[in-house]
Amino acid sequence: MTHLMNTYGRQPVAFTHGKGVRLYDTQGREYLDAMAGVAVNTLGHGHPDLVQAIARQAAELIHCSNLYRVMAQEDLSDRLAALSGMDEVFFCNSGCEANEAAIKLARLYGHQRGVELPGIIVMEHAFHGRTLATLSATGNRKVQAGFEPLTPGFYRVPFSDIEAVRAIAEHNRNVVAVLFEPVQGEGGIHPATQDYMRELRALCDQHQWLFMVDEVQCGIARTGSWFAFQQSGVVPDVMTLAKGLGSGVPIGACLARGPAAGVFKPGTHGSTFGGNPLACTAASTTLAVVERDGLMENALRQGDAIRAGFRTELADVAGVVDIRGVGLMIGIELDRPCGALVATALDAGLLINVTSDTTIRLVPSLVYSDADSAELVKRLSPLIRNFLAGAQLAA
Ligand SMILES: *Cc1c(COP(=O)(O)O)cnc(C)c1O
């Protein structure tokens, strides 16, 4: 018995420490980590540069409040602006908070333009978080059920269906923004096409809507560019970040550009912890190591190798519907619910995840080596084959 609220179905394992892409449990067993704390541990576990930077910053100053200038925060905002082409950054502590900021920003932008009840277009199978506004924006009834009344002001369209967005535009004069994931994560690893992104951008320009991308999961070099939107050639007005930004130290960010910049004023939004020196140092160090060690290129290389490996290993296997993704966001869709594979893999010393019931999701750290990628494919493929054959794994 613990006194924890029962919000997670947890695997029966606890880790004591990690090193690189390996985790070690209380029994001393080693695991190959293909989850990275759900796309969080960009630099893997126990990265010496990150550990040192955090330790040094903790000794100097952990928190001081946004009532004062925070130099680490200013530095990080400069860096993020330079990498993304965005103009300004608001810092918070998580993905849902970053999206709350984006939603508030869009509404305020609407009101400033005389729209009384501003609406935001969101997508089916989207995931934006579990606060009331973000679960309302999320396109998954399981996340919403029991928490009605939902926050109003969202129009939902099928992902990658530009005509559906056009139809909303025709009938609703109060739309002020579109919010979507360039690569849907929780929804099953579905990248938006570059054409769709460009058409959506054009519609936003035509109607003066804010083009808002949720890169909480796909951002920070995971897809082989700093941000996933950069592969489409369009630039958003608002972007949200979190998960991989601090390599495990909680930090989120809402970035704005052009018409979305300058919307917030003192008093319109805030966060007590947001952008504290410790979190900002972790994020700046993450970005510096990603750049210095070429982890963006590595994410692309390892992701391609892992997908190619599974395509070879699972080529003749009935029940594998699709192997897809971009960079180190990898989805292996099966023809049946496969949540049970998570425990099977755990027993075999592999940390994986299943999302959307039928899709194995692999979002490993960006420090994966060629050998790590090959090992992941070699060890996971037989588990998938056995699972589909309906056989129990003989360890
Ligand atoms: C995880 C996630 C969120 C929510 O982030 P939290 O830090 O859990 O609040 C929002 N959007 C996307 C795309 C995510 O993957």
Side-chain angles (χ1 to χ4, degrees), residues 197-215:
M197 302 261 292
R198 282 193 279 263
E199 286 172 325
L200 206 49
R201 175 73 260 188
L203 268 183
C204 286
D205 289 339
Q206 187 187 333
H207 296 282
Q208 293 178 295
W209 300 340
L210 298 180
F211 183 92
M212 310 203 297
V213 292
D214 177 347
E215 296 228 9

Side-chain angles (χ1 to χ4, degrees), residues 94-96 99 127-129 181 214 216-217 243:
S94 65
C96 60
N99 287 327
F127 184 81
H128 298 299
E181 299 153 87
D214 177 347
V216 167
Q217 188 163 157
K243 290 195 168 85

Side-chain angles (χ1 to χ4, degrees), residues 103 161 209-210 214 228-229 236 261 268 274 306 324 326 331:
I103 292 164
D161 180 349
W209 300 340
L210 298 180
D214 177 347
F229 79 78
T268 47
I306 291 169
R324 61 174 171 260
V326 45

Side-chain angles (χ1 to χ4, degrees), residues 270-306:
S271 166
T272 297
F273 291 128
N276 69 56
L278 186 75
C280 289
T281 297
S284 287
T285 305
T286 300
L287 299 177
V289 173
V290 166
E291 174 142 69
R292 184 197 69 195
D293 294 352
L295 297 186
M296 199 160 80
E297 297 76 11
N298 191 55
L300 201 57
R301 173 189 169 89
Q302 302 307 334
D304 285 347
I306 291 169

Side-chain angles (χ1 to χ4, degrees), residues 177-198:
V178 177
L179 171 66
F180 76 106
E181 299 153 87
V183 186
Q184 287 192 333
E186 304 299 309
I189 312 291
H190 293 284
T193 65
Q194 301 188 4
D195 280 348
Y196 179 67
M197 302 261 292
R198 282 193 279 263

